[in-house]
Amino acid sequence: MSDPRPIGVFDSGVGGLTVLSEIRDRLPFEHTIYFGDTARVPYGVRDLSEVRWFTFEIVRYLIGQNVKLVVIACNTATAAALKAVQRSFDVPIVGVIEPGARAAVVDTIGRRVGVLATEGTVASGAYGRAVKSLDAGIQVYEQACPEFVPLIEQGIVDGPELEAVALRYLAPMMERRVDAVILGCTHYPLISSVINRILGPEVRLISSAGQTALEVRSILSRRSYLRRPQHPDDTGLATYVCSASPDEFAALGSRFMEEEIQAVSPAVVV
Amino acid sequence: MSDPRPIGVFDSGVGGLTVLSEIRDRLPFEHTIYFGDTARVPYGVRDLSEVRWFTFEIVRYLIGQNVKLVVIACNTATAAALKAVQRSFDVPIVGVIEPGARAAVVDTIGRRVGVLATEGTVASGAYGRAVKSLDAGIQVYEQACPEFVPLIEQGIVDGPELEAVALRYLAPMMERRVDAVILGCTHYPLISSVINRILGPEVRLISSAGQTALEVRSILSRRSYLRRPQHPDDTGLATYVCSASPDEFAALGSRFMEEEIQAVSPAVVV
């Protein structure tokens, strides 16, 4: 049996491409369709109810594209809407918060976990709940980092300006001696070297991307939803769609994917 | 680095040996100490507050034996006390409910999950919460099975009497068309062939034992808590302790472990 339907992945912009990249590495024969909501990026500063509305629109759009599974590759949208869309649709829907929380629970030795995320994600408290549901004895310190996404989207992923901002966000967390820090926004893996340098080698940095990809693989494989290739070179197609500025999306996205993004179709989902 | 401290595993009686067996299969070089609270078995019909008290006593006893990790290999004790002991002790403590819930979320296609468990576990609602925290759209049907444990402990693991009881518990669940059923008590793997026969090949049966062992391995390995053997035959020692009737424990336990249990020391933990 072979299921050729694509996997749908979405984010407010390009950040979710870090998750898509891990999925394509682990499931090279799967077709994927990525939706970046570039017309309304960023989500992190918006009301959660507004983000929930956007998420419903985009999940509906992807299901209209006949996807077999949806990945909400955006922490803010996961925090705002995962449970609501899971209740409303029949396809399996996977978020990025629980996989990251799970990795942190395994990684922390002193049972002190830090979370770097957008204001929306921190306000939702979703990471704290997810970590404590796995180990109620873990202390969780969440830090909103509103300046990271604008800097990263300008291409500033290193240098003194970013370092100063990062140090400000990380200092309170270091004082509390966290030993595992979740990058709770899909943009942040691009600045992980700076964060790593400040936190030092004893602190583990956790990106949800890899964990999420593993979960996608196990769900598809247990349901016999995997696509079987015709021959070893029959790799899956990657389709990219965004809601505005396709050229900018392709340029910035190529950096996230570490390969060139060729075709981007603009789409209106509302 | 090698950490020779044992892994502590406990259950109200012999049921948790199904979990111990999976742990020893996957981590053959680890020393283990198993505690069966045979003086106070079964837990499933007791008040959760009483079970919580017993769990604190036994975790304290195991920590006194210098364990590096505790597995609560009992669904009722996990439901009653996991969060409370995690908050109170420094060693990592793993329960059996979350791993079973996770396996069910991956296994169900129709997003209808059944849970067979003791009255205490069902009353706690812990499985429903654990499954819905992973996929809020899944329907969970929990069924208390008070007659299973007494039958199993009498050695009745097949035949018309057990079948009649099982059919009574399973019929409502089958009407609701569940396609994944969690064996939510560590005794139940011993009657899985009967349950399987009634439910049919389309329904997946989930035992937490294997999933829990995988979680133990990942926690120990990420913390560098694994024991390194001196040579390939340097397998870990299995120590068994129970609170009453050591001969009976050894006889019944050998069936669960599929190998002979040699030495059982009686211990008083209160």
Side-chain angles (χ1 to χ4, degrees), chain A residues 18 22 116 145 148-149 151-152 155-159 162-163 166-167 170 174 181-209 255-256 258:
Chain A
T18 55
E22 295 280 350
L116 303 170
C145 310
F148 276 164
V149 170
L151 286 169
I152 295 167
I156 300 169
V157 295
D158 211 331
L162 179 68
E163 269 183 26
L167 193 58
L170 294 169
M174 292 162 78
V181 171
I182 299 171
L183 300 177
C185 168
T186 48
H187 276 71
Y188 301 172
L190 266 79
I191 56 168
S192 62
S193 61
V194 171
I195 295 172
N196 226 342
R197 206 154 57 224
I198 295 173
L199 291 173
E202 297 297 306
V203 177
R204 288 179 195 256
L205 272 197
I206 293 149
S207 143
S208 304
R255 190 132 46 85
F256 275 74
E258 290 169 355

Side-chain angles (χ1 to χ4, degrees), chain A residues 108-114 138-141 176-181:
Chain A
T108 179
I109 297 171
R111 289 163 100 206
R112 292 159 183 271
V113 169
I138 290 180
Q139 299 296 318
V140 183
Y141 303 103
R176 281 158 170 163
R177 295 184 297 117
V178 300
D179 61 9
V181 171

Side-chain angles (χ1 to χ4, degrees), chain A residues 83 86-87 89-90 98 102 105-109 111 132-137 204 218 222-223, chain B residues 83 86-87 89-90 98 102 105-109 111 132-137 204 218 222-223:
Chain A
K83 284 186 187 304
Q86 283 175 331
R87 281 194 211 101
F89 298 102
D90 284 337
E98 206 274 338
R102 165 164 302 272
V105 169
V106 170
D107 275 355
T108 179
I109 297 171
R111 289 163 100 206
K132 281 172 191 293
S133 86
L134 297 168
D135 182 345
R204 288 179 195 256
S218 60
R222 293 304 289 265
R223 294 182 188 218
Chain B
K83 285 186 187 304
Q86 283 177 332
R87 282 193 209 101
F89 298 101
D90 283 337
E98 206 275 337
R102 164 165 303 274
V105 170
V106 170
D107 275 355
T108 179
I109 296 171
R111 290 161 100 207
K132 282 173 191 292
S133 86
L134 295 169
D135 183 345
R204 289 178 195 257
S218 59
R222 292 304 286 264
R223 294 180 189 218

Side-chain angles (χ1 to χ4, degrees), chain B residues 130-253:
Chain B
V131 169
K132 282 173 191 292
S133 86
L134 295 169
D135 183 345
I138 290 179
Q139 300 295 320
V140 183
Y141 303 103
E142 303 195 45
Q143 173 69 50
C145 311
E147 292 173 59
F148 276 164
V149 169
L151 286 169
I152 295 167
E153 298 234 326
Q154 287 168 57
I156 299 169
V157 295
D158 211 332
E161 186 186 357
L162 179 69
E163 269 182 25
V165 171
L167 192 58
R168 187 150 36 83
Y169 292 149
L170 293 170
M173 205 164 265
M174 291 162 78
E175 240 167 67
R176 280 153 172 168
R177 294 184 296 117
V178 300
D179 61 8
V181 171
I182 299 171
L183 300 176
C185 168
T186 49
H187 275 70
Y188 301 172
L190 265 79
I191 56 168
S192 62
S193 61
V194 171
I195 295 173
N196 225 341
R197 208 155 55 224
I198 295 173
L199 291 174
E202 297 297 306
V203 177
R204 289 178 195 257
L205 273 198
I206 293 149
S207 141
S208 304
Q211 292 291 325
T212 305
L214 288 175
E215 190 162 330
V216 168
R217 184 172 66 186
S218 59
I219 290 175
L220 293 183
S221 99
R222 292 304 286 264
R223 294 180 189 218
S224 308
Y225 278 6
L226 291 170
R227 172 172 175 262
R228 193 157 294 173
Q230 304 292 313
H231 51 81
D233 296 332
D234 180 18
T235 49
L237 299 171
T239 306
Y240 299 92
V241 183
C242 62
S243 49
S245 322
D247 295 343
E248 220 176 288
F249 177 91
L252 194 55

Side-chain angles (χ1 to χ4, degrees), chain B residues 6-11 32-36 55-72 91 239 241 269:
Chain B
I7 299 167
V9 179
F10 90 88
D11 179 36
T32 56
I33 171 166
Y34 182 91
F35 185 93
T55 305
F56 266 89
E57 284 175 353
I58 295 165
V59 170
R60 221 177 276 123
Y61 165 80
L62 289 170
I63 289 174
Q65 304 297 309
N66 196 29
V67 297
K68 55 187 167 189
L69 180 144
V70 173
V71 180
I72 305 184
V91 299
T239 306
V241 183
V269 295

